Amino acid sequence: MRKITALVFAVALAAILAAQQQKKQPNADLGFTDTPILPGLKWHVHDPDRPHPAVVTPAATPGGAPSDAIVLFNGKDLAKWAQDGRGEEKGKIVDPKWPVKDGYFEVGANTGDLFTREKFGDVQLHLEFSEPAGITGTSQGRGNSGVLFMHRFEVQVLDAYKNPTYADGQAGAIYGQWPPLANPSRPPGEWNVYDIVFEAPKYEGQKLTKAAYFTVFMNGVLLHNRKESMGPMVYRQVAKYVPQPNEDVLALQDHHNPVRYRNIWIRRIPQYDVPEK
């Protein structure tokens, strides 16, 4: 009887200790609390209490907008966009003059840049553009437009298919600063795809604390790998930083050429944990 009682006691004690250990140390599949603290953070390596990323549902088709994206062009209208008024409308923000056609829109002839009604900072952008097959001109006069983040930092849009121009001004260039690493342009009449990650510059008061950066893919080919921008785009000058807002509009440039755009969506980039100083 004493042996049975002792055995029961031992089993019960083991169960209690196991339960206490389970409370102290969760299932290894879910993480650990007996690992080192990550430098500058409050989390253990593999910490079970560290917040998990939001679930994002990818698009059903390649190039489609994921569930957390803002669709800037749905193939039907330019409701998410605006322009600066001209003539009698000068000084006003007006509805776009760029024509919408069969699932795409086209740069309006001399009506000015198109820009989003919403402002952005760090973003991921997907955009598709096409140079009309009947386009004429050479160098910078052939299918010229541009994607302007914060209406300042430009990734060039140009017909770069068998069309020589200066290297830091061709399609995919960080305009006036960095040529792309490759030229994967498709012929006029076909659709090109940009996937761009833009990191906005950061300021403390009047002081620049972090430059802007670009990561750019064109037609699946890497053009810029987190390349640092020298500053806002400027023509025939060296770019330089000046204080600016943390967020501003995304713009598409009117360079008086009939470039077409479609399937445009944008995502705000979630922020990582910031190490403590």
Side-chain angles (χ1 to χ4, degrees):
M1 180 63 70
R2 289 182 179 178
K3 290 183 179 181
I4 294 175
T5 302
L7 180 60
V8 171
F9 176 78
V11 170
L13 180 60
I16 293 171
L17 293 174
Q20 290 177 343
Q21 182 64 24
Q22 189 173 9
K23 287 183 179 180
K24 181 179 179 182
Q25 177 60 57
N27 188 317
D29 288 340
L30 302 179
F32 303 88
T33 57
D34 59 351
T35 50
I37 297 290
L38 290 162
L41 300 174
K42 64 180 181 179
W43 309 110
H44 294 270
V45 176
H46 313 312
D47 199 314
D49 295 325
R50 194 170 188 177
H52 289 78
V55 174
V56 175
T57 304
T61 57
S67 61
D68 66 341
I70 299 168
V71 177
L72 294 176
F73 179 61
N74 59 9
K76 299 177 181 178
D77 60 62
L78 292 172
K80 298 291 182 68
W81 301 81
Q83 289 184 276
D84 287 319
R86 295 189 171 191
E88 295 181 355
E89 296 179 314
K90 189 173 182 179
K92 299 179 181 179
I93 303 298
V94 300
D95 292 335
K97 302 292 193 288
W98 292 17
V100 177
K101 300 184 179 180
D102 297 327
Y104 66 87
F105 62 90
E106 192 168 284
V107 177
N110 304 327
T111 60
D113 293 354
L114 192 73
F115 53 84
T116 56
R117 295 182 183 273
E118 190 169 349
K119 297 180 179 182
F120 302 95
D122 298 351
V123 291
Q124 173 191 348
L125 175 72
H126 177 94
L127 172 150
E128 299 171 16
F129 70 94
S130 175
E131 312 291 354
I135 200 166
T136 59
T138 60
S139 186
Q140 295 293 297
R142 186 166 167 173
N144 196 330
S145 183
V147 184
L148 289 159
F149 293 85
M150 308 186 84
H151 216 159
R152 293 171 176 84
F153 300 88
E154 182 180 9
V155 174
Q156 174 74 312
V157 171
L158 193 76
D159 179 4
Y161 186 79
K162 299 180 180 180
N163 178 36
T165 189
Y166 44 87
D168 60 12
Q170 77 160 73
I174 300 173
Y175 187 80
Q177 302 176 26
W178 301 108
L181 296 173
N183 178 8
S185 297
R186 294 192 170 106
E190 297 185 18
W191 286 94
N192 295 285
V193 178
Y194 273 158
D195 286 291
I196 303 172
V197 173
F198 173 73
E199 300 174 46
K202 302 295 186 291
Y203 289 85
E204 290 184 1
Q206 302 294 302
K207 181 182 178 182
L208 178 73
T209 58
K210 177 181 173 293
Y213 287 86
F214 285 97
T215 299
V216 181
F217 288 85
M218 181 180 183
N219 299 328
V221 177
L222 180 66
L223 303 190
H224 299 285
N225 185 15
R226 198 169 185 267
K227 193 65 178 176
E228 182 176 339
S229 171
M230 298 176 188
M233 180 274 292
V234 61
Y235 181 53
R236 297 184 62 182
Q237 300 292 328
V238 176
K240 63 180 180 180
Y241 284 93
V242 294
Q244 63 179 73
N246 292 326
E247 294 188 343
D248 212 333
V249 298
L250 173 77
L252 300 177
Q253 186 183 50
D254 176 5
H255 208 282
H256 319 313
N257 290 177
V259 181
R260 298 171 179 175
Y261 290 98
R262 72 178 186 186
N263 193 20
I264 306 175
W265 51 264
I266 197 167
R267 295 180 64 245
R268 298 181 184 278
I269 299 177
Q271 298 301 306
Y272 288 106
D273 295 323
V274 178
E276 298 175 359
K277 296 181 178 180

